[in-house]
Each structure stands twice: as C-alpha cells, then as structure tokens.
C-alpha cells in the first residue's frame, strides 16, 4: 500500500463519525492480487506449469487443502496474471535460461460450481478460447463440444484450465473432471479440491500438491493486511486480530467472516474502532464448521434473496420451516409464494446451507417441526448481499 493510500485510509471517516469501510478488502469472497505468505505455493505451481513457458502443455496436476487455506486466492491470482500474458501477442518470456518469443497456451480459471455438467464445463472452456460470446442456453452439449473441439484444433498450444472447488457441495469430483476433458485435444487441467484425489484419477504423486492451513501468526498478518485496506485508521489492533486468528485455527475464510461481522456490529453502533466485544460477537456470528460464503453467493438469485430474508426474521419465526416460510412470504419483499419459499428452504437444508434442528417433543404425522439454524456466516452474508444489491446504508 503506497503513502497516498495510507493517508486516504486514515481520512476515511464518514461525516457522521461511523466507520467507512471497503468491504471488498474484508470479504471472504474477494481475493487480493498478492496472497499473503503463499509465495512457496506459487513457485510450486509454476514448477508444475513450467512446460507452458516453452509453448508446451503441462501434465495434469492437482492442488488440495482444507477450506480457508488460500487455494482459490493463489490459483485465481496466478491464472489471472498468466491469462494476461497469454493475451499479449508474441509473448516474450525472460528467465535465466529463456529469452525468446514463445506462444503460450491459454490460461483459464473456472469455478467448479459453474461447471458441474458437461455442457457448462465445455462452455467455460470455449469461453476462454474465443472472443465471441458463447451461448448459455438454446444450444445443446453436442453443439458446444463441436465448437470447442474446432477451437482447440485452431489453438496451436492448447489451453490450461484451473478448475476450482471440485468435490464440494454442488460440484463434480476431480475424477469426473479429468475423465470429461480427457478426450479433448490440447487441454491440461489443474484441479483444486479440499480432499486429496484418489490414485484412480491417474495422476502420479509428483503432480499432486497439498497445501496446509495457515499458521496462526500468518493468519493474523492476513487479517491486518485486509484491515489496512478495508478499515480507516487503526480500526483493529494486533491483539484483536490475534483473537480472531487463534479462534479460526488457520481458516482464512472464517477469520475474515468474523472480522466482517465484527465490523458490521461496530458500524451499526456508530463506532470508529473495533472493540473486544465486537470481535467476540463477530466470532459468535460464524458457525463452525461454516459453509463458505463463496458457495452462498454462487446460489441462484432467488435462493439468495430467500436466505437474506431469513436472516431478518426473528428467532420465533424460525421455529419451523413452515413459520419461517410464512414470515418471509408475508414481508412483501419477495414475489414468491409461501409454498415456493418453503420448498427452497427444504432444498437449502438438504444442501446443508441451513440446518433443521428437531424440537425435543414432536407429535402428529409427517415431518416433525424443527427450528431453522444457519450453517453459514449469516451477518457477513447479509452485509455483502445488501452492498451488492444497493440496499445497505453501511
């Protein structure tokens, strides 16, 4: 952060004295350009991708590690930079051994949540190869595959695709991904998942790379780096950042969700610095284990709207799915029927995004009544949702 940015940050107070934040810095969904303390991971990935700098396709490889370990942050930032190099004509590679004009493969980052069918995967690959707009509907898988195959044949050096979030809720497995792209000419994959792929995927150990959770002091530094961009002045000190880092146990997602929740609490109370009580409340606002907010914001808009309305209703209205659906439909903000809202809530419960906790005593037939609890950081989601949809005054 340069001097001008530091000065601007210290001036970033509202006229009413409340915190004026940059939530992109505090959001667990957003990734900064230079992930903190992951230089060795970047180097290892570059080693695996090294043949690309000679204009050749690298072998398939797999990166795995726990939630919140920075996998998406590192891979998305790296492929963003590599993609920028790809789009320069006659890209020149300068290293101690190379000074040559080399045509590189295309580099494409794909969120596995948006590529969980053959059609959507092929469409994302094609979109990374051609300048024209690729249809999202109105055409079949065979049509997309035909165009993709033709584009790959025209692209002399092929494409390297990083496919993230594999093996998570709503996504396909690493094995499915590699089997699906195997028949395609000129495609190499870097798969990203939480679990180590099984040997059956056909990738040897040299190309399977594990990443560990952040160490506590590194996670504290990540929080301070994010806070330096997202909060004015000294919005949080090292001791309070350490509180979050100790609680989060290496999970950067949960740590940032707690920081954003604490910031929302301080903002609502009109304060300019985070207190210990804010940090404690912010931590309590994040369930453990927590569903990633990136999974929540990838849901269809109508389901996100239902979740946002669910956050606002009181605990009494969440005593059952039926009462929750009635309260959400009654507020008039959504143009959905009670039946539709109830169906969405059951679907979200089946996906473990919310949880139905049965009451101790139940009577009658059918589904037993059960209160609705959040399995994701609800306060942080509400703040991000409101900012995205223009309904927040924070």
């Amino acid at each position: 952060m340069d001097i001008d940015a530091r000065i601007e940050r210290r001036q970033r107070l509202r006229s009413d004295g409340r915190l004026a934040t940059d939530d992109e810095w505090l959001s667990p969904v957003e990734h900064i350009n230079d992930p903190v303390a992951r230089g060795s991971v970047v180097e290892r990935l570059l080693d695996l991708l090294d043949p690309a700098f000679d204009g050749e396709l690298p072998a398939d490889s797999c990166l795995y590690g726990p939630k919140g370990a920075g996998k998406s942050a590192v891979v998305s930032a790296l492929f963003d930079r590599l993609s920028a190099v790809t789009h320069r004509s006659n890209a020149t590679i300068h290293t101690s051994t190379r000074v040559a004009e080399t045509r590189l493969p295309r580099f494409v980052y794909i969120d596995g949540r948006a590529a969980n069918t053959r059609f959507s995967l092929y469409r994302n690959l094609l979109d990374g190869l051609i300048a024209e707009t690729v249809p999202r509907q109105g055409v079949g898988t065979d049509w997309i595959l035909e165009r993709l195959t033709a584009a790959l044949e025209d692209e002399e050096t092929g494409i390297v695709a990083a496919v993230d979030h594999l093996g998570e809720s709503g996504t396909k497995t690493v094995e499915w991904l590699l089997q699906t792209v195997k028949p395609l000419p000129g495609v190499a994959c870097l798969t990203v998942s939480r679990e180590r792929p099984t040997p059956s995927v056909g990738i040897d150990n040299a190309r399977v790379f594990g990443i560990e959770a952040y160490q506590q002091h590194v996670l504290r530094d990540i929080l301070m780096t994010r806070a330096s961009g997202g909060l004015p002045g000294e919005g949080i000190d090292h001791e309070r950042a350490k509180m979050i880092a100790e609680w989060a146990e290496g999970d950067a997602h949960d740590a940032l969700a707690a920081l954003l929740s604490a910031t929302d609490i301080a903002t609502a109370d009109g304060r300019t610095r985070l207190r210990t009580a804010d940090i404690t409340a912010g931590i309590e606002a994040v369930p453990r284990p927590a569903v990633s907010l990136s999974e929540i914001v990838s849901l269809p808009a109508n389901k996100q709207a239902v979740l946002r309305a669910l956050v606002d209703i009181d605990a009494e209205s969440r005593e059952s799915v039926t009462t929750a659906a009635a309260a959400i439909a009654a507020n008039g903000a959504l143009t959905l029927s009670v039946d539709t809202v109830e169906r969405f809530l059951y679907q979200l419960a089946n996906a473990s995004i919310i949880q139905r906790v049965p009451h101790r005593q139940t009577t009658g037939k059918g589904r037993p009544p059960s209160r609705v609890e959040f399995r994701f950081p609800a306060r942080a989601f509400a703040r991000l949702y409101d900012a995205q949809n223009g309904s927040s005054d924070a």
Side-chain angles (χ1 to χ4, degrees):
M1 180 177 292
D2 60 28
I3 292 175
D4 289 339
R6 291 179 183 275
I7 293 172
E8 187 276 334
R9 179 170 58 88
R10 290 178 179 270
Q11 292 177 322
R12 199 192 307 146
L13 285 173
R14 284 181 164 185
S15 59
D16 59 10
R18 289 189 294 162
L19 277 174
T21 66
D22 184 344
D23 283 1
E24 286 191 7
W25 278 88
L26 305 178
S27 170
V29 179
E30 301 292 337
H31 303 305
I32 60 177
N33 290 332
D34 294 302
V36 176
R38 284 306 192 208
S40 61
V41 178
V42 172
E43 286 298 324
R44 178 65 188 276
L45 290 174
L46 287 172
D47 286 343
L48 293 171
L49 299 172
D50 191 66
F53 297 101
D54 286 322
E56 301 175 1
L57 276 180
D60 294 332
S61 55
C62 301
L63 172 66
Y64 71 95
K67 179 177 76 71
K71 304 182 299 299
S72 297
V74 170
V75 173
S76 60
L78 177 60
F79 269 64
D80 183 62
R81 306 289 180 84
L82 291 171
S83 178
V85 172
T86 296
H87 286 85
R88 298 175 196 156
S89 59
N90 298 321
T92 303
I93 308 303
H94 297 276
T95 70
S96 59
T97 58
R98 302 182 184 93
V99 179
E101 292 187 353
T102 303
R103 179 78 180 275
L104 303 182
R106 298 275 187 175
F107 288 88
V108 178
Y109 172 85
I110 299 173
D111 187 334
R113 302 185 189 105
N116 58 358
T117 64
R118 288 175 64 242
F119 176 89
S120 57
L121 174 62
Y122 294 157
R123 188 201 169 277
N124 275 277
L125 291 171
L126 182 59
D127 193 47
L129 279 171
I130 65 175
E132 297 87 350
T133 300
V134 183
R136 294 182 178 274
Q137 54 189 8
V139 296
T141 301
D142 290 342
W143 186 93
I144 289 286
L145 178 58
E146 181 180 343
R147 284 3 179 231
L148 174 59
T149 302
L152 288 168
E153 291 173 348
D154 291 340
E155 186 70 28
E156 297 176 0
T157 51
I159 184 172
V160 182
V163 187
D164 200 355
H165 302 297
L166 292 170
E168 299 178 21
S169 175
T171 68
K172 296 294 189 179
T173 63
V174 170
E175 184 172 19
W176 176 88
L177 184 281
L178 294 178
Q179 288 177 345
T180 303
V181 301
K182 187 175 182 180
L184 299 175
V187 178
C189 290
L190 167 64
T191 68
V192 185
S193 60
R194 293 180 184 173
E195 302 296 331
R196 182 186 178 96
T198 61
S200 63
V201 301
I203 295 181
D204 61 47
N205 288 332
R207 290 177 283 141
V208 177
F209 177 31
I211 182 174
E212 297 180 350
Y214 287 106
Q215 295 182 9
Q216 185 184 119
H217 71 280
V218 174
L219 188 50
R220 182 198 62 202
D221 290 344
I222 290 173
L223 290 168
M224 294 303 296
T225 297
R226 291 295 196 106
S228 71
L231 298 174
E234 301 301 320
I236 185 173
D237 58 25
H238 281 270
E239 283 305 310
R240 291 180 174 88
K242 182 180 177 182
M243 282 179 59
I244 298 176
E246 289 178 345
W247 163 81
E249 299 179 318
D251 188 327
H253 169 274
D254 289 3
L256 288 169
L259 176 60
L260 183 59
S261 299
T263 300
D264 191 58
I265 292 165
T267 301
D269 287 347
R271 283 178 279 101
T272 60
R273 297 190 65 178
L274 301 185
R275 305 177 307 179
T276 298
D278 299 326
I279 300 300
T280 300
I283 287 172
E284 292 174 350
V286 181
R288 304 296 296 277
V291 174
S292 170
L293 284 171
S294 63
E295 180 177 340
I296 305 302
V297 301
S298 69
L299 292 169
N302 52 10
K303 289 187 177 179
Q304 287 191 54
V306 167
L307 286 176
R308 178 63 187 90
L310 183 65
V311 174
D312 277 347
I313 66 176
D314 57 32
E316 184 177 352
S317 296
R318 288 190 280 108
E319 279 299 300
S320 74
V321 171
T322 300
T323 57
I328 290 171
N331 70 12
L334 304 179
T335 57
L336 299 174
S337 68
V338 175
D339 289 343
T340 298
V341 173
E342 186 170 351
R343 175 164 54 85
F344 282 175
L345 291 175
Y346 279 117
Q347 290 172 352
L348 291 164
N350 289 337
S352 299
I353 290 171
I354 58 176
Q355 183 176 15
R356 296 172 55 232
V357 180
H359 294 292
R360 291 183 178 180
Q361 295 182 347
T362 60
T363 58
K365 298 180 180 180
R367 285 173 169 159
S370 53
R371 71 178 183 274
V372 179
E373 293 186 355
F374 301 107
R375 299 308 309 151
F376 62 95
R379 183 155 196 157
F381 164 70
R383 184 180 179 97
L384 296 176
Y385 182 92
D386 290 346
Q388 179 69 29
N389 292 275
S391 54
S392 173
D393 64 353

